Amino acid sequence: MEELDVEPTTTNIPASEGNHLGFVWGPGDILVYDTIYKSSGSVGTCSSFIHEVRKDEDIYSPILRKLFNESHHIFVGLQTIREDLPNKNKKTQFVSISKNYRSVIRACMEELQQVSILLAIELIWNLCEVLFIDAAPGGSLLLHLLDWVRLHKADVDEKAQEVLQSESPTEHHGYWDVVLSYLMQGRMDEARQMLVKWGVLKPAARSMYKQMDNLLSKMPVYNPGGSQTLTEFDVKWRHWHDMVDHSLQDNSFASDPNLELICKILMGDEDAILEQKDLLSTWYHFLVTRLLFSHPTVKPTELHYYAQSCLAMFDSRSAPEPLDSILLAAFEFDIHQVIKDCSIALNNWWFVAHLTDLLDHCNLLQSHNLHFGSNLREFLLLEYASGLFTHHSLWQLAVDYFDHCPEFGRVYLEQQIEHVPLDTERKALKVLRICEQRQMSEQVRSICKIMAKRALRNNRLGSALSWSIRAKDAAFATLISERFLQDYCARGTFSDLDLIDNLGPAMLLSDRLTFLGKYREFHKLYGENRFSDAATLLLSLMTAQIAPRSFWMTLLTDALPLLEQKEVRLPPKVNERNTWEPEMSSLYNLHQKKVLSTINWLVNVDV
Amino acid sequence: TVMQVSVINTVDTSHEDMIHDAQMDYYGTRLATCSSDRTVKIFDVRNGGQILVADLRGHEGPVWQVAWAHPMYGNILASCSYDRKVIVWKEENGSWDKMYEYTGHESSMNSVCWGPYDFGLILACGSSDGAISLLTFTGEQQWDVKKISNAHTIGCNAVSWAPAVVPGSLVDQPSGQKPNYVKRFVSGGCDNLVKLWKEEDGQWKEDQKLEAHSDWVRDVGWAPSIGLPTSTIASCSQDGRVFIWTCEDPTGNTWTPKLLHKFVDVVWHVSWSITGNILAVSGGDNKVTLWKESMDGQWACISDVSKGQGAVSSITDTQQSEQ
């Protein structure tokens, strides 16, 4: 297997002479700075600059963001295709998904100036779709390859337009180029339409033209949906091939070099086709043309012989470029080599990750275990998604990719989600929801704690409290409840009443919090003139010992007005058998006694 | 894949002398730097900006390293210096102040590293006096100090914590059960050794002694865990070598070194990327090289250049290119 020897790229950082480079990883970017490493002491001068360096990843290009967003959509859809569908249906779906990915690429190409890499990607993807996913057999294979070439050599139509719109098309310098181009792309009808113009103008050559037109019209084209078998087609084709040969042998077109050339090309004469290098412009176009006119029933397994020889014939001088190696590997049906070469040659993971994922779904990848214990598909998806994670909004797309990496997706997500800046409460909630949905309890706790601390630092007690509750952080909840109570003592009112009033079962998180909730409830009852209920509550607060000692004075002070309330009814008492006793008649006095005995109890308790 | 990079922002720290360390906080919003000018500076670098947030003075000698604690504990930064001190700084009500000052060593403090947040707020510090201290915040401005004396003869140059979870336990653990927490860290010293330390029953014990270097070990880095049963440590030395140590078994008993590369000059610094799959190496040859793990016999996305390793890209200073 040919190795692609790729040199590591060098980036230069302005730095003082003779100094070393310090380096540190940031969560997204990298820091590089000027320094000198010495075993002891430090001498010399250096700059005080620190450079933030970032990978030149396409995620920072706004147009490619569209690519990432839309392909994310397709990716998620692909993951949810039902496994139990029959293979035939699945194949259709996979081909359709492949075409979806490609249309997204093409959409981006239209907007982006720097198209070359996208063109290459689409070219490769298309070929992979033809060879691997659609897996066309002999007969159809050539037709698909012709489509492939036509799609990527679209300038023929432009040229044709230019020629046709000129004063005298047949005199146009590009006329025969267009005819030949159409032929070499197997577009026989269009070639004939062009040729007619010539035929009409040259009455002397009428018969030659007619003969040529006849040959062109008779060229058999395989119909995959038809009743004709491949063998039958082959027979027909050979017959036609012999006809063409005949015309060449008996010099029917000898007097016109252009027609003679066309005839040779129809015969599949390699030299004649090769002469049109400029029109073909690529070796793979040459390959398809050569197959069209010499071996249209080519089978997938035979492709690589032809591919290798065509590459060699087309440009024997220069070394193969990465793209050539990739296409060659595809023609050799070496999927792994294709992926490997693409990973090296292209500066982004998007392509290999999505293509590999699709191929994996088609069960085309051997289970190729990497050292890490995971497979190729997952490895590439993890790389791609990790790259997305450093972006301030694309990170959300990455989550779905991690979700579909069964082995390491979760742990990667756990690690990287911690570094998403929690700039706003809304963003924090977003991150939190993601963690909660995946039962990432450690991360949930961590985020809530960070937000709680931050809220407390900004004196937003209510927010701090709700974050602590969400984090199930009893210690912090206690701390904040203390602050609330302190606030109350200082100002005589509570803040964030809404929150405290609606604590619900969360109240039980910590004793202090329970007290806070209940104490507030006491105030509410008092405010509603429900004095007996208030009194009950106050008593229970004091006797249940959840009231912090620091608060007893306050509680006692609160109890005093109750003593004066004449409307207070004795609250039903729970006796030893845990049943409620009915109220007694001498209500007021008994109640008063109760309060006093409680005070007595409090006073006598060891402080 | 070949990684291309470009400079996106340059922060002028206005340090008056050599910068020895720079660290981004967890979110990439704040940058802390320290220098021979004895100060620690903190910048807000959001959106390509650079606003000086704090200029911390408290050290009496060159400051060698800074380290950010986990944001869960607030905005906390540790620094260590030639002046034998470790200072923990905290931001309270928008201003930075000393939270704690530790002077328990007899010579230069060379390295500080915060432990995983699961263990609370715990800081490992290595010193030129050969000892390592573990400082644990216990609340109410109290710190518990544990010292490992003679960790490395002559001096300790670097400390790095292991991830909190015992390798392998993430994979085997039935859900809902708390993972096996073991406090471990690695240190490198002037005795050419890399040592692993483990806490057992509240005491720190030497767990492993890894010998491979022939000169002072300048830096060590324990790779972040990606849930694999293997543990990985990188070490670099004045002997120009960088070793990758791996331990396959969860009990942590057999460590196998693999030579990453022999450089022509001293290698000062190694650091792992966040997910631990790229190792950065900075050395005396004015270069920083990034290395991506690729294993023998396995498909590698970078190159199969040599037996298992491939250089991804390098960042050099301008002098190099002019040669």
Side-chain angles (χ1 to χ4, degrees):
Chain A
M1 240 188 276
E2 232 189 291
E3 298 296 352
L4 270 188
D5 199 8
V6 183
E7 286 298 305
T9 56
T10 305
T11 307
N12 292 316
I13 309 289
S16 303
E17 183 178 336
N19 283 3
H20 300 142
L21 271 182
F23 178 101
V24 94
W25 291 100
D29 305 325
I30 301 162
L31 298 176
V32 176
Y33 55 92
D34 205 11
T35 191
I36 285 182
Y37 292 116
K38 274 254 165 4
S39 40
S40 59
S42 63
V43 289
T45 53
C46 65
S47 76
S48 59
F49 292 118
I50 292 189
H51 308 282
E52 262 181 272
V53 165
R54 177 184 288 166
K55 287 191 229 176
D56 275 348
E57 288 200 334
D58 313 302
I59 55 173
Y60 298 103
S61 149
I63 291 164
L64 283 181
R65 277 230 288 285
K66 178 178 163 156
L67 178 72
F68 298 133
N69 271 306
E70 303 205 1
S71 60
H72 163 257
H73 199 62
I74 301 171
F75 172 83
V76 173
L78 171 58
Q79 308 311 308
T80 50
I81 281 186
R82 288 174 46 207
E83 279 304 307
D84 54 353
L85 284 179
N87 275 330
K88 190 153 160 266
N89 298 18
K90 273 201 261 187
K91 181 172 163 189
T92 324
Q93 278 201 286
F94 290 144
V95 172
S96 154
I97 285 174
S98 177
K99 291 191 195 294
N100 280 344
Y101 272 126
R102 283 173 45 221
S103 72
V104 172
I105 297 172
R106 295 190 84 85
C108 284
M109 267 175 3
E110 286 176 13
E111 293 188 45
L112 201 61
Q113 268 104 3
Q114 196 196 48
V115 292
S116 58
I117 207 154
L118 284 178
L119 264 174
I121 286 176
E122 211 272 326
L123 180 75
I124 299 167
W125 192 307
N126 197 346
L127 185 61
C128 290
E129 181 188 299
V130 167
L131 297 176
F132 306 142
I133 302 175
D134 216 337
S140 312
L141 178 58
L142 180 68
L143 296 177
H144 281 109
L145 288 176
L146 279 172
D147 280 336
W148 176 64
V149 158
R150 286 172 197 162
L151 195 58
H152 295 98
K153 193 93 183 64
D155 58 352
V156 185
D157 295 294
E158 265 175 55
K159 260 199 240 171
Q161 280 286 52
E162 195 190 303
V163 166
L164 288 172
Q165 280 165 4
S166 68
E167 285 267 327
S168 168
T170 52
E171 310 277 299
H172 194 287
H173 65 88
Y175 175 76
W176 287 106
D177 283 348
V178 171
V179 174
L180 289 174
S181 296
Y182 275 141
L183 278 177
M184 293 195 293
Q185 284 190 8
R187 293 159 78 171
M188 298 322 208
D189 291 337
E190 281 137 303
R192 286 172 65 204
Q193 278 167 24
M194 279 304 261
L195 215 47
V196 123
K197 304 207 180 300
W198 179 83
V200 152
L201 287 178
K202 295 264 192 309
R206 210 55 195 284
S207 68
M208 250 205 306
Y209 160 73
K210 274 198 128 144
Q211 197 176 353
M212 175 53 78
D213 189 59
N214 186 43
L215 279 181
L216 293 175
S217 70
K218 287 223 162 70
M219 178 168 131
V221 176
Y222 182 66
N223 180 2
S227 51
Q228 184 188 58
T229 68
L230 193 62
T231 321
E232 285 166 3
F233 165 76
D234 196 36
V235 167
K236 266 206 148 148
W237 187 82
R238 285 187 191 288
H239 183 73
W240 172 82
H241 192 81
D242 287 339
M243 260 200 328
V244 178
D245 193 22
H246 221 67
S247 305
L248 202 58
Q249 296 305 327
D250 61 19
N251 290 320
S252 312
F253 305 111
S255 53
D256 189 301
N258 287 312
L259 290 186
E260 176 102 330
L261 175 60
I262 290 176
C263 201
K264 283 194 182 149
I265 290 176
L266 292 179
M267 272 301 292
D269 182 324
E270 282 159 17
D271 296 322
I273 302 174
L274 255 184
E275 258 172 57
Q276 314 313 317
K277 234 174 154 173
D278 291 334
L279 295 180
L280 293 168
S281 74
T282 62
W283 65 273
Y284 41 93
H285 189 337
F286 171 52
L287 167 67
V288 177
T289 304
R290 185 180 159 204
L291 288 170
L292 173 64
F293 294 119
S294 62
H295 190 30
T297 55
V298 64
K299 292 206 269 291
T301 47
E302 296 166 335
L303 267 182
H304 73 279
Y305 295 125
Y306 290 98
Q308 274 160 7
S309 66
C310 284
L311 176 56
M313 280 195 270
F314 193 80
D315 194 351
S316 47
R317 285 159 303 138
S318 58
E321 291 189 5
L323 179 61
D324 298 329
S325 308
I326 293 168
L327 295 174
L328 201 57
F331 285 122
E332 289 169 2
F333 284 82
D334 191 346
I335 296 184
H336 287 94
Q337 191 67 32
V338 170
I339 296 171
K340 178 176 176 179
D341 290 348
C342 285
S343 306
I344 297 172
L346 300 170
N347 192 29
N348 73 72
W349 294 104
W350 179 88
F351 172 51
V352 280
H354 287 90
L355 179 62
T356 306
D357 173 56
L358 182 55
L359 294 174
D360 189 62
H361 273 93
C362 300
N363 282 323
L364 290 169
L365 292 181
Q366 286 155 16
S367 156
H368 207 120
N369 274 328
L370 302 179
H371 175 86
F372 322 110
S374 86
N375 59 29
L376 182 60
R377 167 193 170 270
E378 183 157 323
F379 175 78
L380 293 173
L381 286 175
L382 289 173
E383 288 292 329
Y384 171 67
S386 298
L388 283 181
F389 232 99
T390 58
H391 191 272
H392 67 86
S393 69
L394 288 176
W395 65 270
Q396 295 168 77
L397 301 181
V399 176
D400 281 315
Y401 288 95
F402 283 134
D403 279 346
H404 290 106
C405 291
E407 245 180 290
F408 295 113
R410 190 190 168 83
V411 76
Y412 265 68
L413 180 59
E414 280 174 0
Q415 286 199 332
Q416 306 205 306
I417 205 147
E418 290 208 321
H419 295 276
V420 176
L422 308 169
D423 307 318
T424 60
E425 190 126 329
R426 197 163 141 244
K427 191 161 182 193
L429 285 170
K430 208 184 261 194
V431 177
L432 199 58
R433 210 176 323 122
I434 290 171
C435 294
E436 280 171 346
Q437 280 168 351
R438 290 155 182 79
Q439 283 106 42
M440 292 178 170
S441 44
E442 290 292 311
Q443 283 70 25
V444 168
R445 245 180 12 120
S446 165
I447 292 167
C448 289
K449 269 180 122 138
I450 294 169
M451 296 306 287
K453 268 221 147 75
R454 200 184 286 178
L456 188 62
R457 273 205 301 277
N458 295 328
N459 266 317
R460 292 180 294 119
L461 294 183
S463 180
L465 185 59
S466 61
W467 282 113
S468 316
I469 290 171
R470 202 153 175 180
K472 298 199 180 30
D473 189 342
F476 212 64
T478 300
L479 192 91
I480 297 172
S481 305
E482 288 272 341
R483 283 282 294 269
F484 268 111
L485 293 169
Q486 281 164 24
D487 258 14
Y488 169 77
C489 288
R491 297 182 301 153
T493 53
F494 282 109
S495 56
D496 300 281
L497 288 178
D498 249 351
L499 175 63
I500 305 175
D501 284 344
N502 294 302
L503 284 174
M507 215 191 285
L508 300 172
L509 182 61
S510 94
D511 273 356
R512 191 69 81 255
L513 184 57
T514 313
F515 173 71
L516 175 66
K518 291 283 168 200
Y519 187 57
R520 160 65 194 153
E521 208 180 304
F522 162 73
H523 278 273
K524 256 186 24 192
L525 291 171
Y526 193 94
E528 290 165 11
N529 290 346
R530 291 164 57 186
F531 299 119
S532 62
D533 293 333
T536 313
L537 188 49
L538 191 58
L539 288 176
S540 66
L541 283 180
M542 289 195 271
T543 55
Q545 301 188 37
I546 57 167
R549 282 166 203 249
S550 52
F551 230 71
W552 283 350
M553 268 320 293
T554 316
L555 287 180
L556 292 175
T557 318
D558 287 335
L560 291 177
L562 288 176
L563 293 172
E564 288 155 29
Q565 291 295 339
K566 294 196 170 38
E567 300 86 27
V568 170
R569 274 179 287 127
L570 177 70
K573 194 180 78 170
V574 180
N575 66 11
E576 312 81 58
R577 274 168 290 137
N578 275 322
T579 58
W580 294 102
E581 280 184 5
E583 295 166 344
M584 319 236 312
S585 54
S586 55
L587 301 175
Y588 187 77
N589 287 335
L590 208 52
H591 175 70
Q592 188 178 27
K593 273 189 212 157
K594 266 247 169 303
V595 173
L596 289 172
S597 70
T598 308
I599 293 172
N600 193 49
W601 172 82
L602 280 173
V603 161
N604 286 321
V605 160
D606 212 355
V607 176
Chain B
T1 286
V2 171
M3 187 177 94
Q4 268 143 336
V5 296
S6 45
V7 179
I8 54 158
N9 189 20
T10 297
V11 176
D12 185 356
T13 62
S14 301
H15 273 299
E16 291 160 24
D17 206 331
M18 195 88 54
I19 297 173
H20 293 290
D21 197 11
Q23 296 285 339
M24 287 281 223
D25 72 352
Y26 256 72
Y27 304 126
T29 51
R30 288 238 176 123
L31 171 67
T33 64
C34 62
S35 155
S36 274
D37 70 3
R38 310 187 209 153
T39 67
V40 171
K41 297 196 189 199
I42 300 177
F43 299 86
D44 183 323
V45 292
R46 264 179 291 214
N47 302 318
Q50 38 179 302
I51 304 168
L52 180 67
V53 166
D55 188 341
L56 305 173
R57 288 156 199 265
H59 282 295
E60 286 146 4
V63 187
W64 301 126
Q65 281 190 9
V66 284
W68 289 96
H70 192 274
M72 168 159 35
Y73 299 106
N75 286 343
I76 294 179
L77 184 74
S79 62
C80 64
S81 157
Y82 181 75
D83 69 358
R84 303 175 297 130
K85 288 197 267 195
V86 168
I87 301 181
V88 181
W89 313 85
K90 184 172 180 157
E91 189 187 30
E92 205 81 67
N93 303 319
S95 76
W96 284 85
D97 286 305
K98 252 189 237 189
M99 182 191 180
Y100 176 57
E101 189 174 288
Y102 174 63
T103 48
H105 285 267
E106 288 142 27
S107 47
S108 173
M109 296 301 299
N110 299 324
S111 178
V112 278
C113 184
W114 290 102
Y117 70 73
D118 313 74
F119 299 150
L121 210 50
I122 175 166
L123 186 68
C125 335
S127 167
S128 282
D129 68 4
I132 297 173
S133 290
L134 285 313
L135 314 174
T136 312
F137 181 62
T138 51
E140 308 278 335
Q141 281 138 23
Q142 292 297 319
W143 290 76
D144 172 66
V145 176
K146 287 208 174 76
K147 203 178 197 183
I148 305 172
S149 303
N150 282 320
H152 292 272
T153 51
I154 313 176
C156 170
N157 294 324
V159 286
S160 169
W161 283 87
V165 183
V166 168
S169 60
L170 263 181
V171 184
D172 307 307
Q173 217 56 235
S175 64
Q177 217 182 334
K178 242 191 166 218
N180 260 334
Y181 284 144
V182 179
K183 287 195 188 117
R184 295 162 85 183
F185 71 91
V186 60
S187 65
C190 303
D191 50 7
N192 308 351
L193 295 173
V194 172
K195 290 193 182 180
L196 271 55
W197 306 89
K198 196 195 295 205
E199 194 196 44
E200 259 166 38
D201 307 317
Q203 295 295 321
W204 284 95
K205 301 203 168 81
E206 183 185 304
D207 185 43
Q208 291 283 320
K209 193 186 325 212
L210 307 178
E211 295 182 60
H213 288 291
S214 53
D215 206 336
W216 291 14
V217 177
R218 294 302 334 181
D219 200 6
V220 287
W222 202 310
S225 158
I226 49 162
L228 284 174
T230 52
S231 294
T232 311
I233 291 174
S235 67
C236 66
S237 156
Q238 291 193 188
D239 66 9
R241 293 187 175 82
V242 175
F243 279 102
I244 307 284
W245 305 83
T246 42
C247 176
E248 305 278 329
D249 68 287
T251 58
N253 289 333
T254 7
W255 291 83
T256 324
K258 187 192 296 188
L259 179 67
L260 178 81
H261 193 64
K262 163 96 175 56
F263 292 83
V264 294
D265 206 333
V266 177
V267 184
W268 294 94
H269 202 39
V270 285
S271 66
W272 294 98
S273 63
I274 291 183
T275 43
N277 58 4
I278 306 183
L279 179 70
V281 177
S282 19
D285 55 353
N286 297 354
K287 279 207 291 205
V288 174
T289 44
L290 302 179
W291 300 78
K292 187 105 180 242
E293 190 179 22
S294 82
M295 295 298 151
D296 274 313
Q298 297 300 335
W299 197 106
C301 275
I302 298 115
S303 70
D304 288 348
V305 169
S306 60
K307 228 176 176 170
Q309 282 81 33
V312 176
S313 86
S314 55
I315 303 172
T316 79
D317 70 53
T318 48
Q319 289 307 110
Q320 194 74 2
S321 71
E322 279 157 31
Q323 274 153 16

